[in-house]
Amino acid sequence: MKLLFINGPNLNFLGIREPEIYGSRTYADLVDYIKAFCADMNIEPEIYQSNHEGALVDKIQEAYGRFDGIVINPAAYTHTSVALLDAVKAVGIPTVEVHISDVSAREGFRQVSYIREACVATVSGQGFEGYKTAAKIILEKQN
Ligand code: DQA
């Protein structure tokens, strides 16, 4: 089982940005956390972060035919990007949308998710653990 983990803009600033919302653990901590649960779950992960919308589209396209699933936290592009929605639809790979914070309890503009309609599930408000929940959802759908 090969899973691609994608993180969008400003998630490289975890631990620095708004710790009251996103916590004090860093992006490096997130990468370590993902690697650890993937080792336990027999998942081969690739982990990618970019602040650039087009780079995220390129990464999703490159996954075509190469990955069994995608776990994506599109960050702010969740609320703006038709291009990411189209990319996920184009590759047809089971994809789960993840948010560290509970977006449903935040500002009105965060209630819109363009990518959601192309995703098999959304996991929100579970912190880093949400990435593991997302991986489990893809694993269960495969079996
Ligand atoms: C986020 C929520 C988004 O609204 C925000 O723009 C982010 C992070 C989250 O993980 O909670 O950058 O996706």
Side-chain angles (χ1 to χ4, degrees):
M1 159 76 76
K2 288 181 71 175
L3 289 190
L4 176 60
F5 292 83
I6 299 178
N7 282 292
N10 300 306
L11 291 168
N12 56 319
F13 259 49
L14 282 173
I16 301 167
R17 73 181 292 214
E18 301 175 275
E20 66 286 1
I21 295 174
Y22 300 110
S24 57
R25 289 183 289 176
T26 65
Y27 180 69
D29 293 335
L30 176 61
V31 169
D32 288 346
Y33 175 75
I34 292 171
K35 284 182 180 165
F37 77 68
C38 284
D40 287 346
M41 292 166 72
N42 211 17
I43 292 168
E44 199 184 317
E46 182 174 328
I47 304 167
Y48 178 77
Q49 190 277 330
S50 176
N51 294 326
H52 305 279
E53 186 175 12
L56 297 167
V57 170
D58 287 344
K59 198 70 192 174
I60 293 166
Q61 289 187 2
E62 284 165 21
Y64 178 69
R66 293 184 49 228
F67 284 90
D68 303 301
I70 297 173
V71 174
I72 185 166
N73 183 345
Y77 292 136
T78 308
H79 318 300
T80 62
S81 180
V82 177
L84 290 181
L85 165 67
D86 286 347
V88 171
K89 281 186 173 172
V91 296
I93 300 169
T95 298
V96 176
E97 172 192 7
V98 173
H99 300 286
I100 292 169
S101 66
D102 179 6
V103 282
S104 71
R106 297 182 64 191
E107 303 95 321
F109 63 84
R110 293 186 208 276
Q111 307 312 314
V112 174
S113 168
Y114 285 94
I115 205 167
R116 191 156 303 168
E117 69 169 74
C119 294
V120 296
T122 298
V123 179
S124 184
Q126 293 186 15
F128 283 12
E129 288 64 32
Y131 292 80
K132 186 175 180 179
T133 304
K136 276 187 192 161
I137 290 169
I138 294 173
L139 215 66
E140 279 161 17
K141 291 209 184 280
Q142 297 277 312
N143 298 328

